[in-house]
């Protein structure tokens, strides 16, 4: 049996049992993009404007909804409308890490009601598999998907060795059907040869074409290193795309900044897709 990395996204979509992962793979194949934009901005209008600008080029919008200062449910409604307009899924990067009961309440309730609008979310396995069961109780009836943080991009991350392996083992033996992949830097499910048990997605942050890192430990690799060399499936790009909005120049002239944001989206989409075509031998 051959590695998951040699299969096309469309082929994998056809056999994917998790509804959210299936929809994501189908969207990737349809739009020819493996780019997810991480929209880490702190006001509602900027968040929506970035999504509108890069929407045509992405398969997935990743949010940190708790950093939005003027959050309200109208933001969620508008974001959902944009996801339909541009054909992308939504991933709330909540990184749940509590006991099952608390995680399930954090996922379903509170101000943000994440499960009601986010197709995909993620969790640390630190509390053990009960975090999966707690979240699955809420997410499975809604056809959502869960990613486990098996590896992180920041310098000195403790997500390695037996911890990473435990994430892989839990994902493979998950009986809820909720776990559909990982946040990871490499093809963690194929460390010991091809994964023939269960198709799992690998979404990878720490992607940048122009810089190697930031002043707070983030480490960047190129789309080619991530998709072709490391066999990951989706590139997650934040400041590499919306960065032009954050400069003094960008704050003064938002219109010009959004032109650049759109261009960066196109640039990362192209780089990610070329790396994928090279990986599956179509280029
Ligand atoms: O290991 C990780 C996991 C995640 S989800 N490293 C990360 O950087 N992330 C997230 O990806 C992080 O929270 C941020 O939202 C995004 C990377 O942003 P960038 O601006 O550095 O591209």
């Amino acid at each position: 049996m051959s590695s998951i990395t040699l299969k096309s996204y469309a082929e994998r979509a056809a056999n994917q049992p998790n509804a959210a992962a299936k929809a994501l793979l189908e969207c990737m194949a349809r739009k020819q993009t493996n780019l997810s934009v991480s929209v880490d901005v702190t006001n509602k209008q900027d968040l929506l404007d970035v999504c509108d600008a890069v929407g045509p080029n992405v398969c997935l919008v990743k949010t940190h909804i708790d950093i939005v200062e003027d959050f309200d449910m109208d933001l969620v409604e508008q974001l959902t409308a944009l996801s339909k307009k541009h054909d992308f899924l939504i991933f709330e990067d909540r990184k749940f890490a509590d006991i099952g009961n608390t995680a399930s309440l954090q996922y379903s309730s509170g101000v943000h009601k994440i499960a009601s609008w986010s197709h995909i979310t993620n969790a640390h396995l630190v509390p053990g598999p009960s975090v999966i069961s707690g979240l699955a109780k809420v997410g499975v009836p809604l056809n959502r998907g869960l990613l486990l943080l098996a590896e992180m991009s920041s310098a000195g991350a403790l997500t390695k060795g037996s911890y990473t392996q435990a994430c892989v083992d839990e994902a493979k033996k998950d009986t809820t059907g909720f776990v559909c992949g990982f946040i990871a830097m490499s093809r963690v499910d194929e460390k010991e040869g091809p994964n023939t048990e269960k198709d799992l997605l690998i979404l990878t942050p720490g992607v940048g074409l122009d810089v190697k890192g930031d002043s707070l430990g983030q480490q960047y690799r190129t789309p080619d290193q991530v998709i072709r060399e490391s066999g990951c499936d989706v590139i997650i790009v934040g400041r590499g795309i919306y960065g032009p909005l954050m400069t003094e120049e960008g704050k003064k002239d938002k219109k010009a900044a959004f032109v650049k944001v759109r261009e960066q989206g196109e640039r990362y989409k192209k780089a990610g897709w070329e790396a994928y075509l090279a990986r599956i031998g179509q280029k």
Side-chain angles (χ1 to χ4, degrees):
M1 285 294 272
S2 65
S3 162
I4 287 177
T5 59
L6 299 173
K7 292 188 184 145
S8 71
Y9 295 138
E11 201 182 339
R12 291 172 59 188
N15 299 310
Q16 173 57 246
N18 176 279
K22 187 183 182 70
L24 180 61
L25 284 161
E26 283 172 351
C27 177
M28 291 162 74
R30 188 165 56 238
K31 289 177 76 178
Q32 305 205 333
T33 177
N34 51 22
L35 173 63
S36 169
V37 62
S38 178
V39 196
D40 302 337
V41 297
T42 55
N43 81 75
K44 174 177 165 179
Q45 200 53 52
D46 279 353
L47 194 159
L48 293 168
D49 288 346
V50 171
C51 292
D52 207 19
V54 299
N57 289 310
V58 302
C59 56
L60 185 67
V61 161
K62 186 174 84 60
T63 54
H64 280 299
I65 211 66
D66 59 350
I67 66 173
V68 180
E69 286 168 356
D70 50 351
F71 171 87
D72 57 12
M73 280 320 259
D74 176 64
L75 166 57
V76 166
E77 277 163 38
Q78 291 202 54
L79 181 60
T80 302
L82 285 173
S83 88
K84 294 192 177 121
K85 173 180 167 192
H86 293 300
D87 184 19
F88 59 71
L89 280 84
I90 306 169
F91 164 22
E92 164 57 18
D93 183 4
R94 175 61 179 74
K95 298 187 179 75
F96 294 100
D98 214 320
I99 59 166
N101 185 57
T102 304
S104 110
L105 291 169
Q106 290 170 324
Y107 186 31
S108 62
S109 309
V111 177
H112 298 119
K113 306 190 191 335
I114 294 166
S116 73
W117 51 269
S118 174
H119 304 99
I120 293 172
T121 193
N122 55 358
H124 288 293
L125 194 61
V126 172
S130 59
V131 69
I132 301 175
S133 328
L135 293 168
K137 225 173 70 178
V138 176
V140 168
L142 297 169
N143 284 324
R144 305 307 191 202
L146 181 72
L147 306 170
L148 296 177
L149 284 125
E151 289 178 329
M152 293 194 73
S153 62
S154 39
L158 306 180
T159 44
K160 56 187 177 183
S162 59
Y163 181 81
T164 298
Q165 191 52 47
C167 292
V168 173
D169 295 345
E170 286 302 333
K172 284 188 178 168
K173 72 178 187 215
D174 165 52
T175 52
T176 64
F178 188 39
V179 180
C180 62
F182 309 99
I183 294 292
M185 304 300 117
S186 61
R187 191 88 231 164
V188 288
D189 56 333
E190 297 200 332
K191 289 270 184 263
E192 286 154 21
N195 168 10
T196 53
E197 292 164 64
K198 183 176 182 181
D199 188 300
L200 293 157
L201 287 167
I202 311 238
L203 281 69
T204 308
V207 178
L209 281 163
D210 303 315
V211 284
K212 292 264 166 273
D214 68 8
S215 59
L216 294 172
Q218 177 66 297
Q219 306 175 111
Y220 292 117
R221 293 179 300 155
T222 65
D224 190 66
Q225 285 173 308
V226 168
I227 300 288
R228 191 180 57 79
E229 285 180 22
S230 303
C232 305
D233 298 316
V234 173
I235 50 170
I236 298 177
V237 183
R239 285 163 287 180
I241 290 179
Y242 70 78
L245 276 178
M246 302 292 132
T247 62
E248 282 312 311
E249 208 188 323
K251 283 178 193 155
K252 274 190 223 130
D253 186 351
K254 276 210 171 179
K255 215 173 146 201
F258 273 109
V259 172
K260 288 189 193 152
V261 169
R262 187 174 289 114
E263 285 168 0
Q264 287 299 94
E266 282 165 16
R267 183 178 173 223
Y268 278 95
K269 175 199 174 181
K270 192 163 176 278
W273 197 255
E274 277 176 5
Y276 160 71
L277 291 179
R279 169 172 118 190
I280 60 167
Q282 289 194 12
K283 215 188 91 188

